[in-house]
Amino acid sequence: MAKEHKEPFVITEEIIANATSYLPLADKRAMVAVVAKNCLEAVDITLDEIAQATAIPLPQLHKEKCGAKQLYLMYQFLTEYLHIDFPNDFGDDEYDYYAGSHIFNQLERFKSKDTEIKNKVFDILYDFKELKKMLDTEIFNLKESLNDGVERISSSISLLSTPENVKALNDLLQKTIGEVEGKQKELAEKRAATKKTTPKATEKKG
């Protein structure tokens, strides 16, 4: 079923005049701290048999979630700078509508207008660029921290050293030892049985 056609969103001089051209640094920090976490996801990997057998939640690698950053940035730009309200969720359809209306190109074209409008557009776009840089940095730093080898090993050791996890690993070890001993005993019994049933070689007649 084809989507209902909507006319492109048009940025007017009135929208620009009422827009916010600067977000305080504290607001930017608060936003990127939350958004950066939502832009990362755990990498779906098979960890190892110990984690599966003991149900110990060993730390996972993380990667950036494709498209999440663009979605959050568009939402922040529309709500915090242009003051457009969204009573419902802001998802892919909403993003496509505004991105498909090329709102940033529309703003760029206002740079040829009168001085007041032009200066306001420059200020908006510059401040939004700073917000994007802060988010990129926060995502990178958070991902590096989560994926850092030393920290992951340290976290693993901390997890494995709790009494519950030590017991789980010990139980697994005892189970493995028991299985090995059982296999060795079974093999020894088979060898003994084979020796009993094998006829002795007869001497060659002269």
Side-chain angles (χ1 to χ4, degrees):
M1 183 178 177
K3 293 183 179 179
E4 181 183 353
H5 176 72
K6 292 174 64 175
E7 291 297 321
F9 179 79
V10 177
I11 295 179
T12 63
E13 291 190 8
E14 182 181 1
I15 290 175
I16 294 173
N18 294 323
T20 294
S21 60
Y22 177 78
L23 296 181
L25 185 60
D27 291 352
K28 290 188 179 79
R29 281 181 179 146
M31 190 277 283
V32 300
V34 174
V35 171
K37 294 178 183 178
N38 293 327
C39 287
L40 296 177
E41 61 183 355
V43 178
D44 185 17
I45 59 172
T46 302
L47 212 47
D48 57 20
E49 293 181 1
I50 292 178
Q52 295 174 13
T54 62
I56 297 172
L58 296 177
Q60 287 186 294
L61 291 169
H62 287 75
K63 66 177 182 178
E64 188 171 339
K65 192 184 303 181
C66 184
K69 179 172 65 179
Q70 288 76 7
L71 199 70
Y72 282 111
L73 282 172
M74 178 66 79
Y75 177 77
Q76 294 297 325
F77 183 76
L78 294 171
T79 56
E80 299 298 327
Y81 289 91
L82 301 188
H83 305 297
I84 298 172
D85 295 324
F86 295 96
N88 302 314
D89 292 339
F90 186 87
D92 289 359
D93 289 342
E94 289 74 21
Y95 175 87
D96 288 339
Y97 173 62
Y98 288 96
S101 298
H102 304 289
I103 59 173
F104 295 107
N105 282 341
Q106 288 188 49
L107 284 172
E108 291 285 349
R109 295 183 190 112
F110 276 99
K111 289 180 178 180
S112 61
K113 299 290 184 178
D114 62 76
T115 303
E116 185 177 354
I117 292 294
K118 178 177 68 176
N119 290 344
K120 185 71 174 289
V121 168
F122 269 103
D123 293 340
I124 293 171
L125 292 176
Y126 179 83
D127 195 64
F128 182 62
K129 182 180 178 181
E130 291 299 298
L131 177 64
K132 289 195 293 184
K133 285 166 59 178
M134 288 179 65
L135 180 58
D136 285 337
T137 301
E138 186 71 10
I139 290 174
F140 177 81
N141 289 341
L142 182 58
K143 183 171 65 174
E144 287 292 298
S145 175
L146 289 170
N147 291 341
D148 182 79
V150 174
E151 289 193 17
R152 294 183 73 242
I153 292 172
S154 176
S155 298
S156 300
I157 292 172
S158 296
L159 285 167
L160 295 175
S161 64
T162 62
E164 296 82 4
N165 290 340
V166 169
K167 182 180 183 303
L169 285 172
N170 183 63
D171 291 345
L172 177 63
L173 180 61
Q174 295 302 319
K175 179 184 175 184
T176 303
I177 292 173
E179 289 176 352
V180 171
E181 289 178 345
K183 291 291 184 182
Q184 289 177 337
K185 183 179 179 181
E186 183 181 341
L187 182 59
E189 290 174 351
K190 284 182 178 180
R191 285 175 177 172
T194 301
K195 287 181 180 179
K196 289 180 181 180
T197 56
T198 302
K200 293 183 179 180
T202 55
E203 295 181 0
K204 293 182 181 181
K205 294 181 179 180

